Amino acid sequence: MISIKDIQKIFKMAGGVRTFVILTILRCPFDALHTVIHAGFLQFAFRAINMRNQDQLFNVCFLFGIGSLILFLYNGTVWTLYAAYVTKWVGKIRRKLFGHISCLSLQQIEARPSGEWITRLNSDVQAATALLNQPLHVPHAVVATVNICVCSIILALLNPDIFGLIIVFVIPHILISQFYIAKPMIGHAINVQEITARNTTDLNALMTCADTAILYGAQEFLLRRFEKSSLDLRKANMKIHHRKAIGNGLLPLMGLCGYLVILLAGGRWMASGTMTFGDLTAVFQYREGLLKGSMMLINSLTNIKTALAGVKHINETMDITPEE
Amino acid sequence: MSIHIENLSFAYGDKQILKDISLNVKNGENIGIVGVSGCGKSTLLKLLAGLYSAQNGIIEVCGARRPEDIRKNVAMVMQGIMLFPASIKDNITCGHPMSDETIRQACDAAQLSEWISSLPDGIDTFVGERGGKVSGGQAQRIAIARAIAKNAPVVLLDEATSALDGDTSKAVLSALECLTKGKTVVRVSHRPEDLSGCRRIYRLEGGRLYND
């Protein structure tokens, strides 16, 4: 079972944990601020339109433009620093892995097929790196959590009834995604890594045993083996995509139901005079932030579990003690 | 004539390896070629096996001149065996349809049967590509069994007995005896003592072949 210790181990190996934490914290407020600025803009802009106040509308638009510009400049700077950090991280991991493998005895190296070593150096490192650099991973999970918290607090303060309605649709979605999608994902991911190793070994055999294969007419045999492992790899990858597709299909369904319920409830409150059109627009904006955050968090957790298969293999390799 | 080589030359880029080599080997004849490492012995065997094409000159093996036709008539056992990452059976048959009896006979001749019967999965046991799951002697005997199963009229042995240790050499030598019985054999080695059973011994030096 992969635990937080495995992640700690790989971060310890790569170093730069402080930089990672600082960059993640710096990235944290973006989505929440984006939602707040957007919702605030809609709320105050519609209020100004209702009041037919052109000066106030101009000020709201001006502030929205300035706020958005600063926010996107800030975000771009943080991501540039983050990309440089990830590049260094990958280099360090690969160098350390290669160094460790080179210290192993011939017997230890020969105990595994060459494809497995190549897979560990390439796709396992890529998978582990996905924790940091691919869309919807650790930094996104953190950003999404902050976004969910901010939107929830504002929504609860703005209109507790609507907040309750939104939660009713969000919670089941998160639970289904976690237990039905993310949980089996790690097993599928480990399976993919193992088949990748077999596939690379089969490909490698064509090079390393080329003379024997040509002399004994074994090319077709090797091709058949390669085709079989390629097909197995495709099937294993399909299982992952299948689970992800189910997860992706759930959100629009839940979102649509929630949207219709809030629209009907909001319409009644507006008719009774307890809510303005600007408030309802802002509610929808916060709801979108909450849903986007939930979706991002779910996807992040799912993808993190997939990436952990690579982390597991890297740690396994580093745990092999070189013989004296 | 089983093997006929006439004015053969071969180079890797600018580096001339073999120069104007001529050789005739009769059916069932057993000859040896000795030479220091890097003199071109393995290159000559690869040309004889149809793995390389001659740049100049003629190579004819059992009447075949095209590399793809030559390969049908040749079996080869090399030093530093690389096995396919597959079962023992697949390593012997190379994926070709072969009767169980042929495979069994090849295993018997290659002194593999006793070892195979001690394995839980028998002949279906998976062996690593570099023989990581089997010893060097076992890997070499699998390669010999593969060559026996092919039943080619010409057998090429590239340093096949150079790296044998005391324990495995007897089994491998017995296996090689079964492989080469009644066949045209060309052995190459850097040690003259490995070629003791050969009817004629040639020396490869400076890219040229000399009859010792």
Side-chain angles (χ1 to χ4, degrees), chain A residues 241-271:
Chain A
H241 293 309
H242 181 67
R243 292 268 171 180
K244 280 186 180 173
I246 293 171
N248 291 338
L250 268 175
L251 192 82
L253 191 69
M254 295 278 184
L256 188 69
C257 296
Y259 184 81
L260 290 173
V261 172
I262 294 164
L263 201 64
L264 289 171
R268 276 181 63 187
W269 285 321
M270 273 176 67

Side-chain angles (χ1 to χ4, degrees), chain B:
Chain B
M1 200 63 70
S2 190
I3 298 173
H4 170 69
I5 301 176
E6 199 179 310
N7 303 324
L8 173 71
S9 295
F10 189 85
Y12 291 115
D14 295 338
K15 195 181 175 191
Q16 193 70 34
I17 303 294
L18 302 173
K19 295 170 195 165
D20 203 26
I21 284 174
S22 294
L23 176 73
N24 285 309
V25 185
K26 289 180 196 159
N27 282 334
E29 204 175 4
N30 188 338
I31 69 147
I33 299 170
V34 70
V36 294
S37 295
C39 73
K41 303 186 296 292
S42 297
T43 305
L44 180 59
L45 278 202
K46 280 174 181 163
L47 283 157
L48 274 176
L51 291 171
Y52 292 168
S53 298
Q55 291 159 347
N56 288 302
I58 296 168
I59 300 176
E60 198 176 285
V61 177
C62 299
R65 287 195 180 186
R66 293 192 316 164
E68 55 269 37
D69 295 330
I70 289 174
R71 290 198 287 266
K72 287 175 189 159
N73 296 305
V74 175
M76 184 153 82
V77 178
M78 289 163 274
Q79 189 189 22
I81 304 293
M82 294 290 287
L83 296 176
F84 299 129
S87 67
I88 297 171
K89 186 180 175 180
D90 285 338
N91 264 285
I92 293 170
T93 63
C94 292
H96 298 299
M98 222 173 256
S99 72
D100 288 346
E101 183 57 21
T102 308
I103 298 166
R104 192 189 58 77
Q105 280 174 1
C107 291
D108 284 346
Q111 314 283 311
L112 281 170
S113 299
E114 202 180 319
W115 169 63
I116 288 172
S117 61
S118 71
L119 299 170
D121 293 327
I123 202 158
D124 294 317
T125 302
F126 181 86
V127 289
E129 54 189 343
R130 288 155 296 178
K133 297 189 176 174
V134 297
S135 72
Q138 285 157 344
Q140 198 159 20
R141 279 182 283 149
I142 292 172
I144 292 170
R146 176 195 291 155
I148 292 170
K150 188 176 180 182
N151 196 24
V154 175
V155 175
L156 307 176
L157 304 176
D158 187 0
E159 305 273 7
T161 54
S162 299
L164 296 178
D165 56 44
D167 292 338
T168 55
S169 64
K170 204 175 159 191
V172 174
L173 288 172
S174 301
L176 283 172
E177 208 178 301
C178 291
L179 169 65
T180 55
K181 203 173 178 181
K183 303 282 167 76
T184 306
V185 183
V186 179
R187 295 168 189 258
V188 302
S189 179
H190 65 283
R191 300 191 310 185
E193 59 266 34
D194 289 342
L195 309 174
S196 56
C198 298
R199 194 166 167 185
R200 278 184 287 148
I201 295 178
Y202 293 85
R203 184 165 42 87
L204 189 60
E205 199 177 299
R208 294 185 190 277
L209 200 61
Y210 301 96
N211 192 344
D212 279 1

Side-chain angles (χ1 to χ4, degrees), chain A residues 141-154:
Chain A
V142 177
V143 171
T145 310
V146 172
N147 194 20
I148 291 168
C149 293
V150 171
C151 291
S152 301
I153 292 165
I154 295 175

